[in-house]
């Protein structure tokens, strides 16, 4: 089984691309969902977070991700500390999920990770693919999806990596500015290339 790391910014259509890959029989692992599950269930990771960050838990003992986010996004060093704690657990969970996909007979497994390179998770993958879209298209999609203003959508996009960042690093680029048929056509080409290669 091959593993394809799928990445790209908000509003590019990664979810639609994942759906297209799923329809071709691929396994899809959502890195963000994996992290959220670990935040709820992984006691060893939570204990490490408690030791380093202290009071970022709610009264019922659950990790308060908003409180933790406020701490780490205001301080690059603290974000590095958090990543050093969480990444080994995320990697282990990803490996277990890949093994489950392989046991199901998947030829290709998609690892959907918005911060694939920043988290150095591309090292888990055979190849990488970015889903890109024009800025105006992304703004319109985010506004519709999250019910936010154009200004806020633009700020979110501007805080993320540029298209050039992804083009330099990825083996494949899916340009998602048109209809779903065009997207599915590109996804099929990537799938066929990966399964053949």
């Amino acid at each position: 089984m091959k593993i394809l790391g799928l990445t790209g910014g908000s509003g590019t259509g990664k979810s639609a691309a994942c759906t297209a890959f799923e329809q071709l029989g691929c396994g899809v692992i959502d890195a963000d969902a994996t992290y959220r599950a670990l935040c709820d269930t992984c006691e060893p990771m939570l204990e490490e977070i408690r030791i380093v960050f202290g009071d970022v838990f709610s009264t019922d003992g659950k990790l308060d991700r908003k409180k933790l986010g406020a701490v780490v996004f205001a301080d690059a060093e603290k974000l590095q500390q958090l990543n050093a704690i969480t990444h080994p657990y995320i990697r282990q969970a990803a490996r277990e999920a890949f093994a489950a996909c392989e046991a199901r007979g998947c030829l290709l497994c998609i690892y959907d990770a918005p911060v694939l390179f920043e988290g150095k998770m591309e090292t888990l993958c055979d190849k990488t693919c970015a889903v890109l879209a024009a800025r105006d298209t992304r703004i319109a999609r985010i506004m519709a999806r999250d019910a936010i203003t154009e200004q806020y959508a633009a700020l979110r996009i501007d805080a993320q990596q540029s298209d050039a960042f992804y083009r330099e690093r990825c083996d494949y680029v899916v340009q998602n500015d048109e209809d779903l048929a065009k997207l599915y056509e590109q996804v099929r080409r990537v799938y066929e290339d990966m399964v053949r290669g």
Side-chain angles (χ1 to χ4, degrees):
M1 184 185 78
K2 300 265 182 63
I3 299 166
L4 178 67
L6 189 76
T7 191
S10 290
T12 56
K14 288 187 304 300
S15 297
C18 284
T19 300
F21 277 113
E22 264 180 318
Q23 290 182 1
L24 292 167
C26 300
V28 175
I29 311 301
D30 180 333
D32 284 350
T34 302
Y35 173 65
R36 286 194 298 273
L38 288 170
C39 287
D40 287 338
T41 60
C42 183
E43 284 305 325
M45 184 182 91
L46 293 170
E47 189 51 37
E48 286 188 54
I49 291 172
R50 192 176 279 113
I51 290 164
V52 175
F53 294 99
D55 185 28
V56 291
F57 290 81
S58 58
T59 49
D60 63 357
K62 292 244 183 266
L63 179 64
D64 185 331
R65 290 209 318 275
K66 277 202 170 107
K67 205 185 273 188
L68 180 61
V71 172
V72 299
F73 292 122
D75 183 333
E77 201 173 299
K78 284 194 165 50
L79 180 60
Q80 275 185 321
Q81 283 180 301
L82 179 66
N83 288 342
I85 293 168
T86 58
H87 284 178
Y89 293 101
I90 295 169
R91 278 175 175 276
Q92 183 55 36
R95 285 194 188 96
E96 288 167 12
F98 297 152
C101 283
E102 191 159 26
R104 285 202 321 265
C106 296
L107 297 177
L108 180 63
C109 182
I110 309 303
Y111 189 53
D112 173 12
V115 289
L116 185 74
F117 295 104
E118 298 87 335
K120 307 224 179 333
M121 297 298 174
E122 80 281 5
T123 56
L124 295 172
C125 307
D126 295 297
K127 291 200 170 175
T128 57
C129 177
V131 182
L132 303 180
R135 191 170 187 276
D136 290 349
T137 305
R138 291 174 65 192
I139 287 172
R141 286 176 184 161
I142 295 170
M143 285 169 65
R145 184 188 69 198
D146 299 343
I148 57 174
T149 64
E150 183 175 347
Q151 187 182 9
Y152 192 66
L155 280 173
R156 192 183 292 178
I157 287 171
D158 293 341
Q160 295 175 355
Q161 302 289 2
S162 67
D163 286 3
F165 171 89
Y166 295 112
R167 288 185 190 282
E168 281 165 20
R169 288 164 177 78
C170 288
D171 300 291
Y172 304 101
V173 170
V174 168
Q175 191 67 38
N176 184 26
D177 294 310
E178 295 179 56
D179 57 17
L180 281 177
K182 262 280 190 279
L183 172 67
Y184 279 44
E185 194 182 299
Q186 292 177 78
V187 163
R188 179 175 288 282
R189 280 203 298 271
V190 172
Y191 171 80
E192 285 171 355
D193 191 64
M194 283 286 298
V195 170
R196 258 202 323 267

